[in-house]
Amino acid sequence: MTSHQAPITAPIPAPLPTRTRIGAVVGLLFLSPICAEYLIGYDQIISDPLDMLTGLLVLGPLYGTVAVLIREVARRTGRGWPTMMLLSAAFGLIQAGVIDQSLFNPDFVDEASWDDDRLPTFVAGLGVSVKHVVGFVGGHVIWSFCAPIGVVESCVPRIADRPWLGRVGITVMIVLYGLGALVIFKEHSKQFLATPAQFGTVGLFALGLAVAAFAIPRRFPRRGADGRGGEGRDEGSRGSGGRVPPSWAVGCGAVVLMGAHQLSSPGWGGVALNVAALTLAGGALLWWSGRPDWGPVHVLAVCGAALVVNAALSFVVEPLGDTSPVVKYGANAVLMIVVLLLLGWAPRRLRHIIVRPLEGAHLS
């Protein structure tokens, strides 16, 4: 008598609730531009709450759609944070080098502080300030895209590793991004236009980053003691063992390194410190997140630390232009409260998820 074993099939994921998906997309659409432009309070718009609200009509399409699309592409292709970080760097280059051209425009801001920040590391042959390249691109990677993605995913942990949009939604995001980018490009091109060589160079570097984002090997999840775990090594290789620091220690370390990034001086020494801080942060995350005890709470600790750093620095940052101190500090306080409430709510959401591996929710 021959016994037959029934074929083993992968479980079919439950349909995603529409309200949850749309809520997550809308949350990311707004959190991304708020983190990118408002949280640190560098611009005079911080003293005009009405302008801040209406500004989201342009900044949402410019930043929020990119964050949504980066996340969507990574999750649909079964990839994680390395891909999202490289795509974020590519879009950050496009934003600073093509759309608003802040990398090349010597008069982008009509303030003496602009030249004080730009000139010490200005390379005449390239027409760019190295500090601006590191600061602008690094800022977009952390605050415009990756930190908002990590925080929003922590608020919806059951669908953190799943796509949120269909074809129609993706098309809408692309169209909105195109419109937002066109508005900003036309506005900033009235007084200054980068050279074709500068546009071409930025395009080539951005393309290289995008190719690298999909050329790097994918990682596969490994279970930790709590059943969640971090991503393992590349397919066919062994995952790394060992413990990871507690999430609070990871968050504190992230605060220190991101603070060093934001507070680095304009000279070459400051650039070296900036690059060292970003390299140390990236290396530590890649090392620890390959271990089985790395989980979603660690991701939230890193991404939440980014929000806290800029929200705290906003109280000592002097905005460009004329501002009302009362309104400025009031806006800073409101944004800090919102950040703290959001970071207080997200861990509660994480504690209630079903214990299972979350493939896409790891910084590795």
Side-chain angles (χ1 to χ4, degrees):
M1 185 175 182
T2 304
S3 65
H4 299 280
Q5 184 176 4
I8 300 175
T9 58
I12 300 175
L16 301 182
T18 301
R19 186 173 64 178
T20 303
R21 288 189 298 109
I22 299 304
V25 170
V26 172
L28 188 50
L29 274 173
F30 286 108
L31 185 61
S32 173
I34 289 172
C35 292
E37 294 290 339
Y38 296 162
L39 194 57
I40 199 169
Y42 76 94
D43 193 81
Q44 62 183 6
I45 197 174
I46 195 70
S47 66
D48 194 329
L50 182 59
D51 278 357
M52 290 175 67
L53 290 174
T54 56
L56 291 176
L57 297 177
V58 175
L59 298 177
L62 184 64
Y63 291 109
T65 58
V66 174
V68 171
L69 289 170
I70 286 172
R71 185 207 165 274
E72 195 71 15
V73 168
R75 297 313 184 203
R76 282 181 172 274
T77 57
R79 296 177 178 273
W81 286 96
T83 293
M84 287 194 282
M85 292 171 72
L86 287 170
L87 289 177
S88 296
F91 274 105
L93 264 179
I94 294 296
Q95 169 67 23
V98 176
I99 297 174
D100 66 24
Q101 302 165 71
S102 56
L103 275 183
F104 304 114
N105 187 353
D107 302 312
F108 185 77
V109 174
D110 188 20
E111 294 277 347
S113 59
W114 179 257
D115 281 343
D116 293 341
D117 203 51
R118 182 179 70 94
L119 292 179
T121 58
F122 183 73
V123 181
L126 301 176
V128 297
S129 165
V130 177
K131 176 174 173 56
H132 279 183
V133 173
V134 176
F136 293 171
V137 177
H140 283 307
V141 171
I142 298 170
W143 286 278
S144 298
F145 307 127
C146 288
I149 290 171
V151 170
V152 172
E153 284 193 341
S154 297
C155 293
V156 287
R158 294 180 188 276
I159 62 170
D161 57 345
R162 307 270 296 276
W164 294 345
L165 295 175
R167 292 181 180 178
V168 174
I170 292 173
T171 302
V172 169
M173 293 295 112
I174 294 173
V175 171
L176 286 176
Y177 173 65
L179 292 174
L182 181 61
V183 168
I184 298 299
F185 176 78
K186 291 184 68 175
E187 179 64 26
H188 287 285
S189 298
K190 292 177 180 178
Q191 305 295 331
F192 175 87
L193 189 65
T195 66
Q198 289 172 328
F199 283 138
T201 301
V202 169
L204 286 175
F205 274 103
L207 179 61
L209 288 167
V211 171
F214 296 99
I216 55 177
R218 288 188 243 191
R219 289 186 168 190
F220 298 87
R222 301 177 63 233
R223 288 180 183 269
D226 63 355
R228 299 178 194 176
E231 290 180 354
R233 294 297 183 188
D234 304 336
E235 185 176 16
S237 65
R238 294 181 180 180
S240 58
R243 295 185 177 183
V244 299
S247 58
W248 65 265
V250 171
C252 290
V255 166
V256 171
L257 294 175
M258 292 182 197
H261 164 75
Q262 290 290 62
L263 296 174
S264 60
S265 63
W268 287 105
V271 169
L273 173 63
N274 199 333
V275 172
L278 293 177
T279 302
L280 180 58
L285 292 175
L286 287 173
W287 176 259
W288 283 325
S289 61
R291 298 180 175 183
D293 287 335
W294 180 271
V297 291
H298 295 90
V299 178
L300 177 60
V302 174
C303 296
L307 272 60
V308 170
V309 165
N310 271 11
L313 288 176
S314 69
F315 290 94
V316 296
V317 167
E318 186 69 27
L320 300 170
D322 296 326
T323 58
S324 165
V326 174
V327 180
K328 172 243 190 309
Y329 288 118
N332 296 153
V334 169
L335 288 173
M336 173 61 90
I337 291 171
V338 170
V339 165
L340 294 178
L341 289 175
L342 186 60
L343 297 183
W345 182 57
R348 295 173 60 87
R349 298 283 297 169
L350 288 175
R351 283 198 294 268
H352 289 86
I353 63 174
I354 300 174
V355 177
R356 62 182 180 84
L358 295 177
E359 179 178 350
H362 312 290
L363 276 165
S364 63

